[in-house]
Amino acid sequence: MAGRVGAAMREVLGQATGLIQFGCLLHCFHEHILDVTICIGPSMLPTFNLEGDVVLVEFWTTRRQKLGNGDVVVAKSPTNPKQTVCKRICGMVREEEKEKEKEKRRGGEHCVR
């Protein structure tokens, strides 16, 4: 009788270990590779339906900083961090524009030390 209980416990423990490993793998996949979300609302018409579309969100592009004009991005809402917003990039600051903006803030003068 004790042998049967021990064997059953080992089997349950083995299955629980496999389930925990699968959960950890799924969490890492969800946080670092791919996520699924639903975009609902009129702001992305005609790209997405008004009733909502299921959207796959990949994270590699943002980590490599390869976003460009026309890309659709999903981000946390600035007014409600529990919600996400889906928007299309319509313009990005280029390096030259960044340098011009820095120079404007300095008053157009070059800093010499």
Side-chain angles (χ1 to χ4, degrees), residues 90-102:
C90 63
M92 294 184 67
V93 178
R94 298 179 188 215
E95 291 301 319
E96 300 88 26
E97 293 169 350
K98 287 180 185 177
E99 289 299 320
K100 287 179 184 178
E101 186 65 31
K102 285 180 187 175

Side-chain angles (χ1 to χ4, degrees), residues 4-45:
R4 287 177 143 179
V5 172
M9 290 298 287
R10 279 193 294 277
E11 184 177 339
V12 168
L13 185 61
Q15 289 180 357
T17 302
L19 188 60
I20 289 170
Q21 288 174 344
F22 178 73
C24 290
L25 179 67
L26 190 61
H27 171 75
C28 289
F29 186 81
H30 169 73
E31 289 293 318
H32 301 288
I33 298 175
L34 189 71
D35 189 14
V36 178
T37 190
I38 298 175
C39 287
I40 299 172
S43 68
M44 288 298 295
L45 284 174

Side-chain angles (χ1 to χ4, degrees), residues 39-84:
C39 287
I40 299 172
S43 68
M44 288 298 295
L45 284 174
T47 304
F48 297 123
N49 291 323
L50 185 62
E51 296 83 25
D53 282 333
V54 176
V55 178
L56 297 176
V57 181
E58 56 88 16
F59 300 110
W60 290 108
T61 303
T62 56
R63 290 204 172 95
R64 291 185 359 238
Q65 298 177 351
K66 297 286 183 182
L67 294 174
N69 291 342
D71 288 347
V72 175
V73 295
V74 177
K76 290 189 185 282
S77 170
T79 57
N80 184 357
K82 292 182 180 179
Q83 289 183 335
T84 56

Side-chain angles (χ1 to χ4, degrees), residues 102-112:
K102 285 180 187 175
E103 193 169 321
K104 283 182 189 176
R105 279 187 253 137
R106 290 191 300 244
E109 298 174 8
H110 294 285
C111 297
V112 179

